[in-house]
Amino acid sequence: MALTGLHYIGAILVFSLITVAGLYSGKKVKNASDFKYGSGKSGAGIIVGTIVGTVIGGSSTVGTAQLAFNYGLSAWWFTLGSGLGFVIMLLFFSGPIYKNGIVTLPQIFSKEYGEKAGFTATILNSIGTFLSVVIQILSGVALITAVSNIGPIAAIAIMIILIFVYIIFGGIWGAGYVGIIKTILVYAAIGLCGILVLSLQGGLGVFFSSLPTERYFNLFARGVAIDSGAGISLIFGTLTTQIFIQALLMSRTLEIARKSLLITAILVPLAGIGGILVGYYMKLNYPEIVPGTALPLFVMLKTPPLLAGITLAALLVALVGTGAGLMLGISTMLSNNIYGKYIGKKAGGKQELFANRFSIVLILVIAAVFTSRYVGSLILEWSFLAMGLRGVVSFGPLCTALFLPGKIKPVYVQTAMIMGIALLLLGRYILPPHIDPLFLGAAANVSVLAIGLAKQRG
């Protein structure tokens, strides 16, 4: 397959639209406050655009189609688990977080448990978020190499440059305004793919009759302990992802923040359905392909060139936008909790803004080197690990900070964070493959916190 002039025209239309939105948003960034959370003056559209624009990336599009190719409905856990996470955030966490008014998760921990806990949370939470950035680059490599003669290393370079350009001039405004356009484009593209699959295949009945039911129409096809762990990872990870907390603080009011979360919770699970249908179709009709290329190959093979160009560009923007949103979360944590506290204590707004942007460049370079070692790996497995890492570090301490203030000594919180991530990683090597190591990491985190709570009461 070769890209034609119509493919390029479709892609140029999308990139032109995104560029205009990015330039417009960049004009709104006057200081570090604007860059990080829009100075708390945003409406529901920007907030939903920021959150959904971050969630709907490589895992929920390319990664979902890849896993559906192998395991069917089990691939829905990424978007379904995220949706459940936003429901829980809406019901229990939005009020305390919004009223707290603190920009980053580590700042919440620093306020409640001291600077060491904040520092520990910054480093460990950033590791989990970093892996999510890597996932977007891996997805981009799969997309670019599937539709062109570009090699993996060049594709990594393209993704790094695009993420940098996307966010460096707009910060949270870029993630918000471009997120709105990106969300519309991606949902239209994925929805179109889903409808086209049903039309080409003659309805869902063909899939039910042709694919093994137990494997392809079972939410727990990979095993209850694995897929339930994946769902819990997404819930925990959603509640502890920095960019989502920043998005809440963008809101003019708590009511707008909650309305935005409700819209997000409805939209996000829907995004996975189109990718699952594409995975079914490609498994049935093109079983010999590399699974990670299922979605881009479907677009190239089954849609007109102009529409294919628009769709592929929209998917690429989705990956880039998600990577950019996550990068902004990491850079905000590092600049606020490392640079602001230990390096640039007297830095002004422009110096802080420079620190934000410099950290983005540095992390992207590290991500490029890391990604080059894992090209072709299963995208959603990385996604579940990344969310789980953030969850076992921050979920328990976040709950105790918001709902049990003053009840646990800092030493137990720091120990819980370190034990959580250490045992999650250890569990990947010592547990049977049918058990998600999240359970071991979460148990360690909760157990240490429970001991700390009991000691305080005793």
Short mmCIF file of all heavy atoms in Angstrom, two decimals, residues 18-64:
data_model
loop_
_atom_site.label_atom_id
_atom_site.label_comp_id
_atom_site.label_asym_id
_atom_site.label_seq_id
_atom_site.Cartn_x
_atom_site.Cartn_y
_atom_site.Cartn_z
N ILE A 18 -5.59 21.65 13.41
CA ILE A 18 -4.94 21.53 14.71
C ILE A 18 -3.93 22.65 14.93
O ILE A 18 -3.81 23.20 16.04
CB ILE A 18 -4.24 20.15 14.83
CG1 ILE A 18 -5.27 19.03 14.81
CG2 ILE A 18 -3.39 20.08 16.08
CD1 ILE A 18 -6.25 19.05 15.95
N THR A 19 -3.20 23.01 13.89
CA THR A 19 -2.20 24.08 14.00
C THR A 19 -2.85 25.41 14.35
O THR A 19 -2.36 26.15 15.22
CB THR A 19 -1.42 24.22 12.68
OG1 THR A 19 -0.75 22.98 12.41
CG2 THR A 19 -0.40 25.34 12.78
N VAL A 20 -3.96 25.72 13.70
CA VAL A 20 -4.68 26.97 13.99
C VAL A 20 -5.12 26.99 15.45
O VAL A 20 -4.96 28.00 16.15
CB VAL A 20 -5.88 27.12 13.04
CG1 VAL A 20 -6.77 28.28 13.49
CG2 VAL A 20 -5.41 27.35 11.61
N ALA A 21 -5.69 25.86 15.91
CA ALA A 21 -6.14 25.79 17.31
C ALA A 21 -4.96 25.93 18.27
O ALA A 21 -5.06 26.60 19.30
CB ALA A 21 -6.86 24.47 17.55
N GLY A 22 -3.82 25.30 17.92
CA GLY A 22 -2.64 25.40 18.77
C GLY A 22 -2.09 26.81 18.86
O GLY A 22 -1.71 27.28 19.93
N LEU A 23 -2.06 27.50 17.72
CA LEU A 23 -1.57 28.88 17.71
C LEU A 23 -2.48 29.79 18.52
O LEU A 23 -2.03 30.67 19.26
CB LEU A 23 -1.46 29.38 16.27
CG LEU A 23 -0.36 28.74 15.42
CD1 LEU A 23 -0.47 29.20 13.97
CD2 LEU A 23 1.02 29.08 15.98
N TYR A 24 -3.78 29.57 18.40
CA TYR A 24 -4.74 30.37 19.16
C TYR A 24 -4.56 30.15 20.66
O TYR A 24 -4.54 31.09 21.44
CB TYR A 24 -6.17 30.01 18.75
CG TYR A 24 -7.23 30.70 19.59
CD1 TYR A 24 -7.52 32.04 19.40
CD2 TYR A 24 -7.93 29.99 20.57
CE1 TYR A 24 -8.48 32.67 20.17
CE2 TYR A 24 -8.88 30.61 21.34
CZ TYR A 24 -9.17 31.95 21.14
OH TYR A 24 -10.12 32.57 21.91
N SER A 25 -4.40 28.88 21.05
CA SER A 25 -4.24 28.58 22.47
C SER A 25 -2.93 29.13 23.01
O SER A 25 -2.86 29.57 24.15
CB SER A 25 -4.32 27.07 22.71
OG SER A 25 -3.23 26.42 22.11
N GLY A 26 -1.88 29.11 22.17
CA GLY A 26 -0.58 29.61 22.61
C GLY A 26 -0.62 31.07 23.01
O GLY A 26 0.12 31.51 23.89
N LYS A 27 -1.49 31.85 22.37
CA LYS A 27 -1.60 33.28 22.69
C LYS A 27 -2.15 33.50 24.09
O LYS A 27 -1.98 34.58 24.66
CB LYS A 27 -2.51 33.96 21.67
CG LYS A 27 -1.91 34.03 20.26
CD LYS A 27 -2.86 34.72 19.29
CE LYS A 27 -2.25 34.78 17.89
NZ LYS A 27 -3.18 35.44 16.92
N LYS A 28 -2.82 32.50 24.65
CA LYS A 28 -3.41 32.65 25.97
C LYS A 28 -2.41 32.35 27.10
O LYS A 28 -2.72 32.58 28.26
CB LYS A 28 -4.63 31.72 26.11
CG LYS A 28 -5.82 32.17 25.26
CD LYS A 28 -6.99 31.25 25.49
CE LYS A 28 -8.25 31.84 24.86
NZ LYS A 28 -8.74 33.02 25.57
N VAL A 29 -1.25 31.81 26.75
CA VAL A 29 -0.27 31.45 27.77
C VAL A 29 0.64 32.65 28.04
O VAL A 29 1.53 32.96 27.26
CB VAL A 29 0.55 30.22 27.34
CG1 VAL A 29 1.60 29.89 28.39
CG2 VAL A 29 -0.36 29.04 27.11
N LYS A 30 0.40 33.32 29.14
CA LYS A 30 1.21 34.49 29.52
C LYS A 30 2.17 34.18 30.66
O LYS A 30 3.13 34.89 30.88
CB LYS A 30 0.28 35.64 29.96
CG LYS A 30 -0.81 35.98 28.94
CD LYS A 30 -0.23 36.42 27.61
CE LYS A 30 -1.35 36.81 26.63
NZ LYS A 30 -0.83 37.17 25.31
N ASN A 31 1.86 33.13 31.44
CA ASN A 31 2.70 32.81 32.59
C ASN A 31 2.56 31.33 32.91
O ASN A 31 1.83 30.59 32.25
CB ASN A 31 2.29 33.65 33.81
CG ASN A 31 0.79 33.57 34.07
OD1 ASN A 31 0.22 32.49 34.12
ND2 ASN A 31 0.15 34.72 34.24
N ALA A 32 3.27 30.88 33.96
CA ALA A 32 3.26 29.46 34.31
C ALA A 32 1.88 29.00 34.76
O ALA A 32 1.49 27.86 34.53
CB ALA A 32 4.28 29.20 35.43
N SER A 33 1.11 29.88 35.40
CA SER A 33 -0.24 29.52 35.84
C SER A 33 -1.12 29.19 34.64
O SER A 33 -1.87 28.21 34.65
CB SER A 33 -0.85 30.65 36.66
OG SER A 33 -2.18 30.36 37.02
N ASP A 34 -1.06 30.01 33.62
CA ASP A 34 -1.81 29.74 32.39
C ASP A 34 -1.37 28.43 31.77
O ASP A 34 -2.19 27.64 31.29
CB ASP A 34 -1.60 30.87 31.36
CG ASP A 34 -2.32 32.14 31.76
OD1 ASP A 34 -3.29 32.06 32.54
OD2 ASP A 34 -1.92 33.20 31.27
N PHE A 35 -0.05 28.20 31.75
CA PHE A 35 0.50 27.01 31.11
C PHE A 35 0.03 25.73 31.80
O PHE A 35 -0.29 24.74 31.15
CB PHE A 35 2.03 27.08 31.13
CG PHE A 35 2.71 26.03 30.31
CD1 PHE A 35 2.87 26.19 28.94
CD2 PHE A 35 3.20 24.88 30.90
CE1 PHE A 35 3.51 25.22 28.17
CE2 PHE A 35 3.84 23.90 30.14
CZ PHE A 35 3.99 24.09 28.78
N LYS A 36 -0.05 25.75 33.13
CA LYS A 36 -0.31 24.53 33.88
C LYS A 36 -1.79 24.24 34.08
O LYS A 36 -2.22 23.10 34.02
CB LYS A 36 0.39 24.60 35.25
CG LYS A 36 1.90 24.47 35.15
CD LYS A 36 2.56 24.47 36.50
CE LYS A 36 2.52 25.83 37.15
NZ LYS A 36 3.34 25.90 38.36
N TYR A 37 -2.60 25.27 34.38
CA TYR A 37 -4.01 24.96 34.59
C TYR A 37 -4.96 26.08 34.19
O TYR A 37 -6.06 26.21 34.71
CB TYR A 37 -4.27 24.52 36.04
CG TYR A 37 -3.88 25.51 37.12
CD1 TYR A 37 -4.79 26.40 37.68
CD2 TYR A 37 -2.57 25.53 37.58
CE1 TYR A 37 -4.42 27.28 38.67
CE2 TYR A 37 -2.19 26.42 38.57
CZ TYR A 37 -3.12 27.29 39.12
OH TYR A 37 -2.75 28.16 40.09
N GLY A 38 -4.54 26.88 33.21
CA GLY A 38 -5.44 27.85 32.62
C GLY A 38 -5.95 28.90 33.58
O GLY A 38 -6.98 29.53 33.33
N SER A 39 -5.26 29.09 34.72
CA SER A 39 -5.63 30.09 35.72
C SER A 39 -7.05 29.93 36.24
O SER A 39 -7.69 30.89 36.66
CB SER A 39 -5.41 31.50 35.17
OG SER A 39 -4.03 31.72 34.93
N GLY A 40 -7.59 28.72 36.20
CA GLY A 40 -8.89 28.44 36.78
C GLY A 40 -10.04 29.19 36.15
O GLY A 40 -10.96 29.62 36.85
N LYS A 41 -10.04 29.35 34.82
CA LYS A 41 -11.08 30.16 34.18
C LYS A 41 -11.71 29.44 32.99
O LYS A 41 -12.19 30.08 32.06
CB LYS A 41 -10.49 31.49 33.74
CG LYS A 41 -9.19 31.39 32.93
CD LYS A 41 -8.51 32.74 32.79
CE LYS A 41 -7.18 32.64 32.07
NZ LYS A 41 -6.43 33.90 32.05
N SER A 42 -11.76 28.13 33.02
CA SER A 42 -12.25 27.36 31.88
C SER A 42 -13.66 26.85 32.10
O SER A 42 -14.11 26.63 33.23
CB SER A 42 -11.32 26.16 31.61
OG SER A 42 -10.02 26.61 31.36
N GLY A 43 -14.35 26.61 30.98
CA GLY A 43 -15.67 26.02 31.00
C GLY A 43 -15.60 24.53 30.74
O GLY A 43 -14.53 23.94 30.55
N ALA A 44 -16.78 23.89 30.67
CA ALA A 44 -16.85 22.44 30.53
C ALA A 44 -16.21 21.95 29.23
O ALA A 44 -15.59 20.88 29.20
CB ALA A 44 -18.30 21.98 30.62
N GLY A 45 -16.35 22.71 28.15
CA GLY A 45 -15.81 22.27 26.86
C GLY A 45 -14.31 22.06 26.92
O GLY A 45 -13.80 21.03 26.44
N ILE A 46 -13.60 23.03 27.49
CA ILE A 46 -12.14 22.92 27.59
C ILE A 46 -11.74 21.77 28.51
O ILE A 46 -10.81 21.01 28.23
CB ILE A 46 -11.54 24.24 28.11
CG1 ILE A 46 -11.76 25.36 27.10
CG2 ILE A 46 -10.05 24.08 28.39
CD1 ILE A 46 -11.02 25.17 25.81
N ILE A 47 -12.45 21.61 29.62
CA ILE A 47 -12.10 20.57 30.58
C ILE A 47 -12.32 19.18 29.98
O ILE A 47 -11.47 18.30 30.06
CB ILE A 47 -12.92 20.74 31.88
CG1 ILE A 47 -12.60 22.09 32.51
CG2 ILE A 47 -12.61 19.61 32.86
CD1 ILE A 47 -13.55 22.50 33.60
N VAL A 48 -13.50 18.99 29.35
CA VAL A 48 -13.78 17.71 28.71
C VAL A 48 -12.77 17.46 27.59
O VAL A 48 -12.27 16.34 27.41
CB VAL A 48 -15.22 17.67 28.16
CG1 VAL A 48 -15.44 16.41 27.30
CG2 VAL A 48 -16.22 17.72 29.29
N GLY A 49 -12.46 18.51 26.82
CA GLY A 49 -11.47 18.37 25.75
C GLY A 49 -10.12 17.94 26.28
O GLY A 49 -9.43 17.10 25.69
N THR A 50 -9.70 18.51 27.41
CA THR A 50 -8.42 18.16 28.01
C THR A 50 -8.41 16.71 28.50
O THR A 50 -7.47 15.95 28.22
CB THR A 50 -8.10 19.10 29.20
OG1 THR A 50 -8.01 20.44 28.72
CG2 THR A 50 -6.80 18.72 29.86
N ILE A 51 -9.46 16.32 29.24
CA ILE A 51 -9.49 14.97 29.83
C ILE A 51 -9.67 13.91 28.75
O ILE A 51 -8.89 12.96 28.64
CB ILE A 51 -10.59 14.87 30.89
CG1 ILE A 51 -10.34 15.85 32.04
CG2 ILE A 51 -10.64 13.44 31.44
CD1 ILE A 51 -11.43 15.86 33.09
N VAL A 52 -10.73 14.06 27.94
CA VAL A 52 -11.01 13.06 26.91
C VAL A 52 -9.88 13.05 25.88
O VAL A 52 -9.47 11.99 25.39
CB VAL A 52 -12.37 13.32 26.23
CG1 VAL A 52 -12.60 12.32 25.09
CG2 VAL A 52 -13.49 13.22 27.24
N GLY A 53 -9.37 14.24 25.56
CA GLY A 53 -8.26 14.32 24.62
C GLY A 53 -7.02 13.62 25.11
O GLY A 53 -6.18 13.18 24.31
N THR A 54 -6.88 13.47 26.42
CA THR A 54 -5.74 12.74 26.99
C THR A 54 -6.03 11.24 27.06
O THR A 54 -5.17 10.42 26.76
CB THR A 54 -5.40 13.27 28.40
OG1 THR A 54 -5.07 14.66 28.30
CG2 THR A 54 -4.23 12.52 29.01
N VAL A 55 -7.24 10.88 27.47
CA VAL A 55 -7.59 9.45 27.60
C VAL A 55 -7.61 8.76 26.24
O VAL A 55 -7.10 7.64 26.08
CB VAL A 55 -8.96 9.29 28.29
CG1 VAL A 55 -9.36 7.81 28.32
CG2 VAL A 55 -8.93 9.85 29.69
N ILE A 56 -8.23 9.42 25.25
CA ILE A 56 -8.42 8.77 23.95
C ILE A 56 -7.15 8.95 23.13
O ILE A 56 -7.01 9.90 22.35
CB ILE A 56 -9.64 9.34 23.21
CG1 ILE A 56 -10.86 9.25 24.12
CG2 ILE A 56 -9.88 8.58 21.92
CD1 ILE A 56 -11.14 7.87 24.67
N GLY A 57 -6.24 8.03 23.34
CA GLY A 57 -4.97 8.07 22.64
C GLY A 57 -4.63 6.70 22.08
O GLY A 57 -5.49 5.98 21.59
N GLY A 58 -3.38 6.32 22.19
CA GLY A 58 -2.92 5.08 21.60
C GLY A 58 -3.57 3.85 22.20
O GLY A 58 -3.91 2.90 21.48
N SER A 59 -3.77 3.84 23.52
CA SER A 59 -4.34 2.66 24.18
C SER A 59 -5.78 2.43 23.78
O SER A 59 -6.20 1.28 23.58
CB SER A 59 -4.24 2.82 25.70
OG SER A 59 -2.90 2.95 26.10
N SER A 60 -6.55 3.49 23.66
CA SER A 60 -7.98 3.35 23.39
C SER A 60 -8.30 3.24 21.90
O SER A 60 -9.45 3.00 21.54
CB SER A 60 -8.74 4.53 23.99
OG SER A 60 -8.15 5.75 23.64
N THR A 61 -7.31 3.39 21.04
CA THR A 61 -7.54 3.26 19.59
C THR A 61 -6.70 2.13 19.02
O THR A 61 -7.17 1.01 18.87
CB THR A 61 -7.23 4.59 18.88
OG1 THR A 61 -5.88 5.02 19.20
CG2 THR A 61 -8.19 5.69 19.31
N VAL A 62 -5.44 2.40 18.74
CA VAL A 62 -4.54 1.39 18.17
C VAL A 62 -4.38 0.20 19.13
O VAL A 62 -4.45 -0.97 18.72
CB VAL A 62 -3.16 2.01 17.85
CG1 VAL A 62 -2.20 0.95 17.33
CG2 VAL A 62 -3.32 3.14 16.84
N GLY A 63 -4.18 0.48 20.42
CA GLY A 63 -3.98 -0.58 21.40
C GLY A 63 -5.22 -1.43 21.61
O GLY A 63 -5.13 -2.66 21.77
N THR A 64 -6.40 -0.80 21.61
CA THR A 64 -7.64 -1.56 21.79
C THR A 64 -7.89 -2.48 20.61
O THR A 64 -8.26 -3.65 20.78
CB THR A 64 -8.82 -0.59 21.96
OG1 THR A 64 -8.66 0.14 23.19
CG2 THR A 64 -10.14 -1.34 22.00
#
